[in-house]
Amino acid sequence: NAGVTQTPKFQVLKTGQSMTLQCAQDMNHNSMYWYRQDPGMGLRLIYYSASEGTTDKGEVPNGYNVSRLNKREFSLRLESAAPSQTSVYFCASMERYSNQPQHFGDGTRLSIL
Amino acid sequence: AQSVTQPDIHITVSEGASLELRCNYSYGATPYLFWYVQSPGQGLQLLLKYFSGDTLVQGIKGFEAEFKRSQSSFNLRKPSVHWSDAAEYFCAVGASGGYQKVTFGTGTKLQVIP
């Protein structure tokens, strides 16, 4: 019953540092997503991967890169962290062309000093 | 482009009272609609979803929502609120087909008082 697993759960970075957020799903879903959640703004899509081998920008992609490593894993990289990227990051997955909802991980709480 | 509006940022209700959280959406065709709940420090949990058929949808934890096409609304209701319902609630709209882009509202925080 793992579903969507995100690592790490918490991280503190200094401005300019880089890091990669990991996401893995065990539901054999085709589509995977990265969102950020900020107070009063709901969830905003950063990048998504409709299927293995493809990635596309969402609403707020600047400052981020992604890699769809295989069908299970979708990572989010911050090359040079900025305080504006302090947020809670959620990964989600979904079966493409289905009427099923997205499944979410528990989030990564990232603070950039 | 699809969008979701949750007009109430914060709602306070007494335990045992009824609850209605408002959600209005904008989408050109028949939308996929969702309500999620998020407890503090947790991820999002799906409460219910609407794709087609009966416009009154039953979900988990005693919640229900009604799809009203004429009003572009998908309001969430519960007849009697429990203290454990205190959380943040998100309405979302999805486009059919393709990778199914989902757009979230800004959320409504529910406070339950004794």
Side-chain angles (χ1 to χ4, degrees), chain A residues 45-78:
Chain A
L45 183 64
I46 305 172
Y47 271 93
Y48 66 93
S49 172
S51 61
E52 186 179 355
T54 69
T55 61
D56 284 286
K57 295 178 180 179
E59 184 182 352
V60 289
N62 291 345
Y64 305 96
N65 285 301
V66 291
S67 296
R68 184 75 183 266
L69 305 170
N70 47 56
K71 192 171 185 179
R72 289 188 64 247
E73 298 172 288
F74 188 39
S75 62
L76 178 72
R77 182 161 178 85
L78 287 70

Side-chain angles (χ1 to χ4, degrees), chain A residues 33 37 94 96 98-99 109, chain B residues 38 41 51 90 98-100:
Chain A
Y33 309 78
Q37 183 181 28
M94 186 186 73
R96 196 178 181 186
S98 77
N99 63 356
R109 284 146 186 83
Chain B
Q38 184 182 35
F51 292 122
F90 293 92
Y99 73 95
Q100 194 171 331

Side-chain angles (χ1 to χ4, degrees), chain A residues 79-92:
Chain A
E79 291 291 350
S80 179
S84 61
Q85 294 177 304
T86 293
S87 187
V88 181
Y89 291 86
F90 287 99
C91 178

Side-chain angles (χ1 to χ4, degrees), chain A residues 33 35 37 40-43 48 50 90 94 96-102 104-106 109, chain B residues 32 34 36 38 41-44 46 49 51 88 90 97-102 104-106:
Chain A
Y33 309 78
Y35 292 90
Q37 183 181 28
M41 303 191 75
L43 275 75
Y48 66 93
F90 287 99
M94 186 186 73
R96 196 178 181 186
Y97 298 117
S98 77
N99 63 356
Q100 296 305 310
Q102 294 175 321
F104 284 85
D106 289 336
R109 284 146 186 83
Chain B
Y32 291 174
F34 312 88
Y36 287 88
Q38 184 182 35
Q42 302 296 314
L44 279 75
L46 181 72
K49 61 183 187 285
F51 292 122
E88 191 161 18
F90 293 92
Y99 73 95
Q100 194 171 331
K101 180 182 176 181
V102 178
F104 287 81
T106 52

